[in-house]
């Protein structure tokens, strides 16, 4: 008959601590692998965006000259392709050529305006609402 002496608290902590360290090491390796995969995905998307943009800029000689809304989902768009202007009717799921004419000879070669980014539009809207809010609050202070 063999009697196993009871474990002291120090022995119990050292056995459980080893298991915890092994678990933390595995968790750390998993987190590092996940971070690496996310970094690769972000790198690939940025490279693809640059490649796509570069590919479209090289071959296209297309420029939107003007556009106007005709209805809720209908627009008239004038597009310049090399030395020809196309007048296109654009609706929900359809584009129709309405007219074709040579581009005017007296046009100036101004670069197209950069796209109005959402952040710029949001900043303008906030500035406009603040200026309107200031004028209405000053009006209410004067009337009181």
């Amino acid at each position: 008959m063999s009697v196993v002496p009871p474990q002291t608290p120090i022995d119990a902590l050292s056995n459980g601590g080893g298991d915890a360290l092994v678990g933390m090491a595995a968790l750390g390796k998993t987190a590092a692998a996940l971070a690496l995969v996310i970094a690769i995905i972000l790198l690939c998307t940025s490279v693809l965006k640059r490649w796509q943009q570069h590919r479209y800029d090289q071959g296209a000689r297309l420029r939107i000259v003007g556009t106007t809304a005709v209805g809720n989902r209908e627009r008239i768009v004038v597009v310049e392709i090399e030395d020809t202007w196309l007048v296109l009717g654009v609706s929900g799921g359809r584009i129709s050529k309405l007219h074709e004419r040579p581009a005017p000879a007296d046009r100036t070669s101004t670069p197209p305006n950069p796209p109005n980014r959402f952040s710029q539009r949001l900043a303008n809207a906030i500035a406009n609402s603040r200026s309107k809010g200031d004028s209405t609050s000053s009006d209410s202070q004067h009337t009181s």
Side-chain angles (χ1 to χ4, degrees):
M1 189 162 103
S2 143
V3 176
V4 177
Q7 289 184 344
T8 62
I10 295 174
D11 291 338
L13 288 176
S14 65
N15 289 341
D19 292 341
L21 287 177
V22 170
M24 291 300 286
L27 183 63
K29 287 180 182 179
T30 304
L34 180 62
L36 179 66
V37 168
I38 291 173
I40 289 172
I41 290 172
L42 292 174
L43 179 69
C44 288
T45 55
S46 67
V47 167
L48 283 174
K49 281 182 182 178
R50 288 178 188 239
W51 182 63
Q52 291 286 344
Q53 191 176 32
H54 180 68
R55 190 178 79 183
Y56 287 128
D57 289 344
Q58 292 223 346
R61 298 285 184 246
L62 181 74
R63 184 173 71 100
I64 296 176
V65 177
T67 180
T68 186
V70 178
N72 288 338
R73 299 179 66 188
E74 295 85 16
R75 303 184 80 71
I76 303 292
V77 180
V78 179
V79 178
E80 179 180 6
I81 300 175
E82 294 181 1
D83 290 331
T84 305
W85 280 11
L86 298 175
V87 180
L88 304 174
V90 180
S91 63
R94 187 174 171 172
I95 299 174
S96 303
K97 182 176 100 172
L98 302 176
H99 185 68
E100 179 178 342
R101 62 170 275 186
D106 61 344
R107 71 182 189 273
T108 58
S109 61
T110 59
N113 293 334
N116 194 1
R117 297 184 184 259
F118 175 74
S119 59
Q120 293 170 344
R121 291 189 312 221
L122 180 63
N124 290 341
I126 290 172
N128 288 341
S129 68
R130 283 185 182 165
S131 65
K132 288 179 183 176
D134 291 342
S135 65
T136 57
S137 65
S138 63
D139 291 343
S140 65
Q141 290 175 355
H142 292 298
T143 57
S144 313

